[in-house]
Amino acid sequence: MRPLFHPAIEDVQPEAILHALSDPRRAAIFARITKAGCVEACSAVSSVGDQVIPKSSLSSHFKVLREAGLIRCERHGVEMRNHSRCAEVEARFPGLLSAIMNAYAARLS
Amino acid sequence: MRPLFHPAIEDVQPEAILHALSDPRRAAIFARITKAGCVEACSAVSSVGDQVIPKSSLSSHFKVLREAGLIRCERHGVEMRNHSRCAEVEARFPGLLSAIMNAYAARLS
DNA sequence: TCCATAGTTCCGAAATCCCGAACTATGGGA
DNA sequence: TCCCATAGTTCGGGATTTCGGAACTATGGA
């Protein structure tokens, strides 16, 4: 299996990050990966809140996060390990990710 | 003409803001309004960079920004005045807008 | 070799975006 | 008052994107 594409940090674009995180489910997935540092599998986040996400949709959400430069994915055996690239992104766009994640956390709903 | 809908600041959702600003043209429009405090008309921003935006598209971009809670629009005679709501949004989601606008400004391309 | 698990790809339906054309609203003449 | 010009919205339908079930691929273990 060919290695997955990951953009270099200098190629990461703000619009891609905003688009990726403008979906609350993707934002929740990213928050979980970031909090855990590394979530072992896509299937480890097979639901967000009480909402079950079909695995084809989940796969494309991970792809969007990966191509936006937010996570790094590598296969370990039969499963995928997803790492947050928040430190890199923070260096390139200071304050962006924390402000976004705080905004979601601050939401009442 | 009935007054335009504006969400109360407590109803403003992070995903709506991220979606609105994930389009570079909308982000540029919002930046211009914010910088100016108040841009007199939609037609005053009829192009972004060297790219001309048709007025039907422009109208819908303003609608997205307005419904996301980012701007306030009121008719003055034949034209519209658009005000940035950045102070309100800043109070609700601290650091969010400045981080986003800085991210766009930091982009090389 | 066969099977189970973990993800990806495919594809059709649904939703969204885009923009030209037609329409509406307002104010300024004549 | 009537007509026109300007400013912006709405409509319609074609293009693009998103969603998710079903089929497929990749890996490791029995």
Side-chain angles (χ1 to χ4, degrees), chain B residues 10-48:
Chain B
E10 62 268 21
D11 293 330
V12 170
Q13 299 296 319
E15 57 265 46
I17 291 179
L18 297 183
H19 171 252
L21 297 180
S22 69
D23 181 315
R25 291 162 302 178
R26 278 196 295 263
I29 291 170
F30 177 67
R32 219 184 294 189
I33 294 174
T34 299
K35 201 182 300 177
C38 164
V39 165
E40 273 157 89
C42 298
S43 58
V45 284
S46 61
S47 68
V48 169

Side-chain angles (χ1 to χ4, degrees), chain A residues 15 17 28 30 37 39 47 49 53 58-59 67 70 75 86 97 103:
Chain A
E15 57 265 46
I17 291 179
F30 177 68
V39 165
S47 68
I53 304 180
L58 205 53
S59 179
E67 294 185 343
L70 288 165
R75 179 179 281 277
C86 63
L97 295 183

Side-chain angles (χ1 to χ4, degrees), chain A:
Chain A
M1 192 174 192
R2 64 187 176 293
L4 296 170
F5 169 74
H6 293 87
I9 190 63
E10 63 268 20
D11 293 331
V12 170
Q13 299 296 319
E15 57 265 46
I17 291 179
L18 297 183
H19 172 253
L21 297 180
S22 69
D23 181 318
R25 292 161 302 180
R26 278 196 295 262
I29 292 170
F30 177 68
R32 219 184 292 187
I33 294 174
T34 299
K35 201 181 301 178
C38 164
V39 165
E40 272 156 271
C42 298
S43 58
V45 284
S46 62
S47 68
V48 169
D50 54 353
Q51 188 182 18
V52 174
I53 304 180
K55 68 177 186 170
S56 62
S57 302
L58 205 53
S59 179
S60 74
H61 285 323
F62 274 87
K63 184 180 181 188
V64 170
L65 290 170
R66 176 172 52 79
E67 294 185 343
L70 288 165
I71 63 175
R72 196 176 292 281
C73 312
E74 44 189 64
R75 179 179 281 277
H76 269 245
V78 76
E79 69 190 13
M80 205 64 99
R81 288 195 191 156
N82 303 289
H83 302 260
S84 175
R85 297 180 70 182
C86 63
E88 290 173 85
V89 175
E90 166 66 19
R92 176 152 160 76
F93 302 123
L96 182 61
L97 295 183
S98 54
I100 292 173
M101 300 327 282
N102 284 342
Y104 273 112
R107 178 173 58 175
L108 299 181
S109 73

